[in-house]
Amino acid sequence: MADREPTSPLVVGIGGTIGGISSTERALRIALDGAAKEGFRTRLFGGADMARLPLYDPRATTRTADERAFVDAVREASAIIIASPGYHGSISGVVKNALDLLEETARDERRAYLADMPVGLIATAYGWQATGSTIAALRSIVHALRGWPTPFAAAINTQITKFDDDGGASDPAVVEQLRLIGRQVARFAPLAAANA
Ligand SMILES: Cc1cc2nc3c(=O)[nH]c(=O)nc-3n(C[C@H](O)[C@H](O)[C@H](O)COP(=O)(O)O)c2cc1C
């Protein structure tokens, strides 16, 4: 996924679940691929990467290499895509813990949090109800982080849609919706950079 010129803009994907590559992470990969087709470099922080992040301690005086790599990638990014499963009607603790770590950017001079960045959103759940509430939670978090949720967010019911190992899904419309998220963040990112 990172075979572009190092100077091309970067979109960072954050999402997935612990315990192997999940439908949430597969959905995120399709969206990142949509941005890659627009000329973006992509960097994925999936379930295994997020599982290596310690529980966020705002008072810690040192950060692990994994924490630093995550925060540095977000600092370098021109756009973000976040994908969370719906857990009990909201985002998962694993995804939230990664987002909590972005508190480390609060005092950055160049850009605090996700300020002015386009942020694409994806929620999976085993039913429709939690897809909606999880997207609403993600939008609130992105607003708190001063980011710009892109207009379309993908709500994926994993009771109906199944993902495969080859980057596809049982419903072509879902694949197209995920690619649209990649295209939307890619389209808005240069505008955000121009205003920085
Ligand atoms: C702890 C936990 C809580 C869950 N809560 C909900 C829920 O409230 N509503 C729902 O529709 N599905 C719920 N699910 C199901 C997941 O949202 C669903 O299976 C999701 O697609 C998992 O994504 P994955 O394949 O990436 O692991 C829950 C699953 C777990 C493990």
Side-chain angles (χ1 to χ4, degrees), residues 2-156:
D3 57 349
R4 304 265 166 191
E5 294 291 317
T7 50
S8 49
L10 175 70
V11 55
V12 169
I14 304 166
T17 51
I18 291 185
I21 296 178
S22 64
S23 49
T24 310
E25 192 167 320
R26 287 193 164 110
L28 177 57
R29 282 169 190 249
I30 295 171
L32 288 173
D33 197 42
K37 285 191 168 66
E38 301 293 318
F40 275 64
R41 283 180 298 138
T42 64
R43 176 100 190 253
L44 170 68
F45 287 90
D49 303 294
M50 292 188 293
R52 283 196 298 273
L53 298 175
L55 282 178
Y56 179 60
D57 174 359
R59 286 171 206 81
T61 51
T62 58
R63 295 289 161 199
T64 66
D66 292 315
E67 285 179 306
R68 287 198 304 272
F70 177 75
V71 172
D72 286 347
V74 171
R75 281 182 174 132
E76 195 196 335
S78 298
I80 305 282
I81 302 176
I82 304 171
S84 177
Y87 276 9
H88 307 153
S90 191
I91 80 166
S92 71
V94 169
V95 172
K96 186 63 168 68
N97 185 53
L99 297 176
D100 287 350
L101 183 53
L102 297 180
E103 188 60 23
E104 293 305 293
T105 67
R107 282 166 203 81
D108 284 8
E109 276 189 21
R110 196 180 75 79
R111 180 178 64 203
Y113 303 114
L114 306 179
D116 299 333
M117 262 206 286
V119 185
L121 301 174
I122 300 164
T124 68
Y126 206 69
W128 289 116
Q129 185 165 293
T131 60
S133 52
T134 301
I135 284 170
L138 283 169
R139 283 193 176 127
S140 293
I141 291 166
V142 172
H143 284 151
L145 294 171
R146 307 178 195 171
W148 294 57
T150 51
F152 181 78
I156 299 168

Side-chain angles (χ1 to χ4, degrees), residues 147-164:
W148 294 57
T150 51
F152 181 78
I156 299 168
N157 184 341
T158 53
Q159 206 174 9
I160 299 170
T161 302
K162 303 297 172 195
F163 290 87
D164 59 44

